[in-house]
Amino acid sequence: MGLDLESFLDEFRTEATHHLGVLNSQLLLLERNPDDLTPVRTMFLSAHTLKGAAAMMDLAAVEALAHAIEDVLAPLREQQQQLNSQTADCLFQAFDLLDERIQHDVPSGSPVDAAITAMVERLQRAIQPEDQATPPDLPPAAALSQASPRVLVVEASATVRLLHQAVLIRSGYTVDAVEDSAEGIALVAAQPYQLIVIGRELAEGPATDFLAIMQQYVAPERFPPIVITQSDEEIPTLPIPHGAFLTVAPLEQEGLTALAQQLLLV
C-alpha cells in the first residue's frame, strides 16, 4: 500500500509558501540589480526544491510550472541571458499561478491543464531552446547487502526528505535524513552507508560538491552506490571513484524503493 500523500499536504504547503516568498523577494532584488547573481542563485534553488517536492507529492501542475520557472532561471544563473522587464513580469505572473495551485491542488487530482500549459509556453518563449543531453550509463559497483542496510538521504526539501525517509523505512532500511551537506559529511565521516540518496541541488551547492568532499572520508573500494534524485538534466563528470554506481532520475515513491532494492541486492 502506498503512502497517503494528502497527509503530507500541510508540510508541503508550508514549505512551498516559504519558497514562493523567496522567489518573489529575490526577483525584486534581481530587477534592481540584474548584474548581481546572488538573488537568481537563491531563486533557482527554491524553484528546484519546489519542483522536487511537487513531484514527490504527485502534484503534476505544480511540478510542471516550477520546472518551467527553473528553466527560465538557469540561463540567468549561468549569465547566458540577463533579466529584462518582460521576463520579470512573466515570472511574477507565474509565481501568482503557482501560489494558487499550491494552495488548492491535491495529489493525483491536479493534471496539467490549459492555464498551466499556457503559462509554461510563455516561460519557454522567454529563453532560448537548449539541447537536452542524456547522461551516460555508468557501470554499477558491487553493492553491499545486510539485514537492514543503512541509507543516508541528503535533501534540501523538507517534504521530499520526509517522503524519502518514510518510503525507505517502510521498505526495511535504516535511514538518516539531513538537510545540508555539512550534516551529511559529518555522518559519512562517522559511519559507513550502503546507499546515499542526494538531491540534485543542496543549500551549499550542487550534489557534485558533496561527492567531492565525501571522497576524503570514504575509501574508493567502499564508496557506496549513489542516487541523485529529482533531476532530468545533464550531470557533468562526477568526482566518484571508478566502479561506484551513479543513477540520475526524477524518482517517484515506489521507484526509489525499487532502485534501492536493485542497488543493495535486497
Side-chain angles (χ1 to χ4, degrees):
M1 180 182 297
L3 294 176
D4 177 12
L5 290 176
E6 293 202 23
S7 66
F8 294 93
L9 266 177
D10 287 343
E11 175 73 28
F12 168 76
R13 285 171 176 160
T14 297
E15 180 186 9
T17 299
H18 164 74
H19 286 299
L20 274 171
V22 170
L23 289 169
N24 277 288
S25 63
Q26 295 300 305
L27 183 54
L28 287 171
L29 292 177
L30 186 64
E31 275 192 304
R32 294 170 190 161
N33 185 4
D35 294 324
D36 183 2
L37 294 182
T38 302
V40 75
R41 288 168 180 159
T42 303
M43 292 169 66
F44 186 88
L45 177 59
S46 280
H48 184 88
T49 303
L50 184 51
K51 179 188 74 173
M56 290 296 297
M57 289 294 295
D58 197 13
L59 297 169
V62 174
E63 178 191 3
L65 188 49
H67 195 166
I69 291 169
E70 182 186 45
D71 285 345
V72 172
L73 295 173
L76 301 179
R77 183 185 63 165
E78 302 302 323
Q79 296 183 287
Q80 298 169 350
Q81 293 182 0
Q82 192 172 60
L83 183 71
N84 56 45
S85 59
Q86 293 83 2
T87 302
D89 289 344
C90 186
L91 283 171
F92 278 124
Q93 291 173 34
F95 298 164
D96 289 342
L97 180 57
L98 193 59
D99 187 18
E100 175 189 330
R101 294 310 179 91
I102 285 168
Q103 301 307 322
H104 296 99
D105 284 7
V106 295
S108 304
S110 309
V112 179
D113 57 20
I116 295 293
T117 299
M119 181 58 72
V120 168
E121 290 175 351
R122 285 188 60 195
L123 290 166
Q124 289 174 341
R125 287 196 295 270
I127 58 174
Q128 295 296 323
E130 298 181 19
D131 294 333
Q132 298 295 319
T134 302
D137 293 331
L138 298 180
L144 299 175
S145 178
Q146 60 182 48
S148 181
R150 182 172 289 275
V151 179
L152 174 62
V153 175
V154 186
E155 169 59 58
S157 165
T159 304
V160 175
R161 195 165 61 246
L162 187 63
L163 283 166
H164 280 345
Q165 188 171 22
V167 167
L168 290 166
I169 289 175
R170 187 189 65 190
S171 301
Y173 304 115
T174 299
V175 182
D176 295 323
V178 297
E179 178 180 2
D180 58 48
S181 295
E183 293 177 284
I185 291 299
L187 289 173
V188 167
Q191 60 192 325
Y193 286 93
Q194 282 70 58
L195 176 66
I196 297 182
V197 179
I198 315 173
R200 173 69 178 88
E201 295 286 335
L202 303 174
E204 301 89 342
T208 50
D209 294 347
F210 175 88
L211 294 175
I213 298 172
M214 183 177 154
Q215 286 189 93
Q216 301 173 27
Y217 300 96
V218 181
E221 65 273 12
R222 297 188 64 189
F223 211 83
I226 302 295
V227 177
I228 296 183
T229 66
Q230 305 307 327
S231 178
D232 53 8
E233 42 191 76
E234 182 181 7
I235 302 295
T237 302
L238 289 172
I240 57 177
H242 176 71
F245 185 93
L246 168 69
T247 183
V248 179
L251 294 174
E252 299 177 350
Q253 306 172 51
E254 302 305 326
L256 179 59
T257 300
L259 185 55
Q261 291 173 342
Q262 171 192 338
L263 296 178
L264 295 171
L265 305 179
V266 174

